[in-house]
Amino acid sequence: MKNNKPDLSFWQIWNMCFGFLGIQFGFALQNGNVSRIFQTLGANVDDIPILWVAAPLTGLIVQPIIGYWSDKTWGKLGRRRPFFLYGAILTTLSLFIMPNSPTLWIAAGMLWIMDASINVTMEPFRALVGDNLPNKQRATGYAMQSFFIGVGAVVASALPWMMTNWFDIANTAAAGQIPDSVKYSFYFGAVVLLVAVGWTIITTKEYSPEELAAFNQQEQTEAEQAVSAQINFSKGGSVFTVLGLAVLGLVMGLNLEKELYLLAAGLVSFGVIQFIAATLQAKNHTSGGFYQVVNDVFTMPEAMKQLAWVQFFSWFALFAMWIYTTSAVTSFHYGSSDTSSAAYNNGADWVGILFAAYNGFAALAALCIPIIVKRVGLKLAHALNLILGVLGLASFMFIQDPSLLIWPMIGIGFAWASILSLPYAMLSTSVPSHKMGVYMGIFNFFIVIPQLLAASVLGLILRHFFQNQPIYALMLGAVSFVLAAVAVLRVKQS
């Protein structure tokens, strides 16, 4: 495959990825504090998962749309940078408004807006690396993004604590009021996001569509052939709709766990989407964005389909870890599930440190990953990093002293940094350049789907097979990492 893009210097790659530092500030503040805001405004603990469904669903919808639009855009700011700018402005405003929400439902609505805005900014950043870097530098580019993700996650997650302990800003407030430490953290994060993204916009140039086409003439021809394939959307729509309705009937008839309603809704929704595509296909209305995105889902390059399984198992493991580590550590290592006990809260605080640690180790791992790739190649490097994640998660079952749990975070950090970089490096060499954005957006499906599946079935599996002991969720995560490592070795790359 012909590709004559010039190599970029270290600082050019640094500038191109620097905006991810700001994006991660937004995500980390959202992930670390929105549940606190919801509870402060009156949400029950049982309601929080439902309120949080907004985040993955927003990414599922927004990313492929923004990817499609950015592929079709070219103006004074370029191809991807207009979306960096608009998304950063909206995210900055959302970060100022979110901690000042007067009611729970306004806060829930702001989560939708904030997450959508972050996704508008983030999705084209993935595509930009594929646009600007030659194949041999893409692992370095995505690893640089992982570095900024790790640094941003550590600093932004600690911001409320720093506001209180370093600047003497109150971390408590009257009932129904958000503490000033949280408010000022969001304000600071908003400024960092706007400045960081703005730096990338100012310092980074983009290739025009004509230049990209010249770099990738063979890619363009292969892509046009793939798009011409005809898909039987009606058949797929019927299968998924019937399957979703069957799951819904079983849940209602057998009074199964309510989380399975989410699984049924997802299956039916995918069926309905295919029926809409079939209708557009029958009327020969196939030039619109909706049909094009749905068609691209079914005409993905073979390597992308194989990478989808890698992402699915990787992110299922990650969500198992994020959802259950607190309850696993507090119950298994600290011996308490009583949220009012000192043991439980000490364990929960320690989990916060562990999560900060793996993000810190991920930032260091991002510096090592390009070296590993040069030694053993993309696929084997990613498989090795995933195995380090396996060892990290599995060791929770065997380590008794909670203070020693800091060491497994090294393996998890390497896996996390690798997941954020190497699959994208492999993907970017497998998809046509003029559809880099939309395929990066579709790739996000295989992050969101395992998240929704984990939310639907993990609790059920633990209750029925593991006496509701959350430590086994981490073991299931370790098994899922093993499957991801096996799957990546099967990926066929040109």
Side-chain angles (χ1 to χ4, degrees):
M1 185 174 291
K2 187 177 181 180
N3 193 323
N4 296 320
K5 292 176 189 172
D7 290 355
L8 298 188
S9 69
F10 172 85
W11 290 111
Q12 285 175 310
I13 298 173
W14 173 283
N15 292 336
M16 183 173 61
C17 298
F18 187 73
F20 239 95
L21 177 69
I23 293 170
Q24 190 56 38
F25 260 75
F27 265 126
L29 287 168
Q30 172 183 291
N31 293 341
N33 297 281
V34 166
S35 291
R36 179 179 183 175
I37 291 172
F38 285 161
Q39 286 185 279
T40 301
L41 295 175
N44 294 321
V45 173
D46 291 341
D47 295 332
I48 289 177
I50 299 299
L51 294 169
W52 264 105
V53 168
L57 288 181
T58 302
L60 189 69
I61 296 167
V62 169
Q63 288 214 18
I65 294 173
I66 295 302
Y68 175 83
W69 284 347
S70 69
D71 285 338
K72 306 294 183 182
T73 296
W74 183 254
K76 291 181 179 180
L77 273 179
R79 193 182 197 187
R80 314 294 181 188
R81 287 179 295 166
F83 296 91
F84 299 167
L85 178 61
Y86 305 145
I89 292 171
L90 289 173
T91 307
T92 299
L93 294 174
S94 299
L95 286 167
F96 274 100
I97 296 171
M98 181 69 177
N100 293 293
S101 300
T103 65
L104 175 61
W105 294 109
I106 290 178
M110 284 308 305
L111 176 59
W112 281 86
I113 295 170
M114 184 163 64
D115 202 82
S117 302
I118 294 174
N119 276 287
V120 169
T121 308
M122 182 183 71
E123 198 285 331
F125 261 97
R126 297 290 192 193
L128 181 66
V129 171
D131 291 342
N132 280 13
L133 290 178
N135 292 348
K136 65 181 179 180
Q137 284 194 308
R138 288 178 182 174
T140 301
Y142 289 113
M144 185 72 77
Q145 289 187 349
S146 297
F147 171 77
F148 286 122
I149 288 171
V151 172
V154 171
V155 177
S157 298
L159 271 178
W161 181 90
M162 289 190 290
M163 290 291 174
T164 299
N165 290 275
W166 292 0
F167 303 105
D168 201 27
I169 297 172
N171 66 348
T172 58
Q177 299 295 315
I178 311 301
D180 284 343
S181 61
V182 174
K183 288 184 178 181
Y184 287 117
S185 296
F186 272 68
Y187 302 159
F188 181 78
V191 174
V192 170
L193 185 145
L194 191 61
V195 170
V197 174
W199 180 261
T200 292
I201 293 171
I202 293 169
T203 60
T204 302
K205 82 175 203 65
E206 297 185 71
Y207 293 114
S208 69
E210 293 77 19
E211 289 173 310
L212 288 174
F215 288 139
N216 301 281
Q217 289 177 0
Q218 183 180 342
E219 251 183 22
Q220 300 279 16
T221 303
E222 292 171 351
E224 289 165 3
Q225 292 171 351
V227 170
S228 66
Q230 291 293 311
I231 307 299
N232 187 346
F233 292 113
S234 295
K235 180 180 178 181
S238 299
V239 170
F240 278 91
T241 302
V242 169
L243 184 59
L245 292 175
V247 172
L248 181 62
L250 287 172
V251 174
M252 296 176 67
L254 300 178
N255 197 27
L256 299 177
E257 282 80 355
K258 62 182 181 180
E259 294 93 334
L260 291 174
Y261 283 115
L262 188 60
L263 178 61
L267 293 169
V268 171
S269 297
F270 191 49
V272 170
I273 287 170
Q274 291 183 74
F275 279 131
I276 296 172
T279 302
L280 294 171
Q281 189 181 65
K283 294 180 177 180
N284 203 29
H285 295 163
T286 59
S287 60
F290 179 89
Y291 180 86
Q292 289 294 318
V293 171
V294 176
N295 189 67
D296 286 336
V297 171
F298 288 90
T299 58
M300 291 185 293
E302 189 63 27
M304 183 173 175
K305 294 177 183 177
Q306 295 166 338
L307 283 167
W309 288 107
V310 179
Q311 290 293 83
F312 178 90
F313 290 120
S314 298
W315 285 87
F316 188 91
L318 288 172
F319 289 123
M321 180 185 75
W322 291 335
I323 293 170
Y324 285 103
T325 297
T326 297
S327 53
V329 170
T330 52
S331 61
F332 187 81
H333 297 91
Y334 283 81
S336 177
S337 297
D338 179 4
T339 57
S340 63
S341 69
Y344 177 92
N345 284 286
N346 288 336
D349 288 345
W350 182 235
V351 170
I353 299 299
L354 295 178
F355 276 24
Y358 88 74
N359 278 291
F361 288 130
L364 297 176
L367 303 177
C368 303
I369 284 174
I371 300 172
I372 300 172
V373 169
K374 288 181 180 179
R375 295 278 186 178
V376 300
L378 286 168
K379 293 197 299 184
L380 186 55
H382 192 46
L384 291 173
N385 288 327
L386 289 172
I387 294 301
L388 290 177
V390 173
L391 297 174
L393 281 181
S395 64
F396 273 68
M397 176 71 82
F398 304 102
I399 293 176
Q400 299 298 318
D401 183 352
S403 66
L404 298 179
L405 293 176
I406 198 75
W407 298 112
M409 295 299 105
I410 298 174
I412 293 170
F414 267 83
W416 174 230
S418 193
I419 289 166
L420 292 173
S421 56
L422 298 191
Y424 294 96
M426 286 184 270
L427 176 68
S428 66
T429 63
S430 305
V431 300
S433 62
H434 71 294
K435 287 198 168 187
M436 187 73 71
V438 69
Y439 276 127
M440 287 290 177
I442 291 170
F443 206 46
N444 187 58
F445 290 176
F446 309 109
I447 295 174
V448 175
I449 291 171
Q451 178 179 5
L452 298 177
L453 184 65
S456 300
V457 305
L458 263 179
L460 182 149
I461 292 171
L462 292 182
R463 283 192 290 271
H464 290 280
F465 296 100
F466 297 106
Q467 293 80 47
N468 211 24
Q469 296 184 48
I471 190 67
Y472 288 101
L474 303 187
M475 299 306 103
L476 292 173
V479 171
S480 194
F481 268 150
V482 171
L483 295 175
V486 172
V488 75
L489 295 176
R490 298 180 65 251
V491 175
K492 295 179 181 179
Q493 287 188 279
S494 58

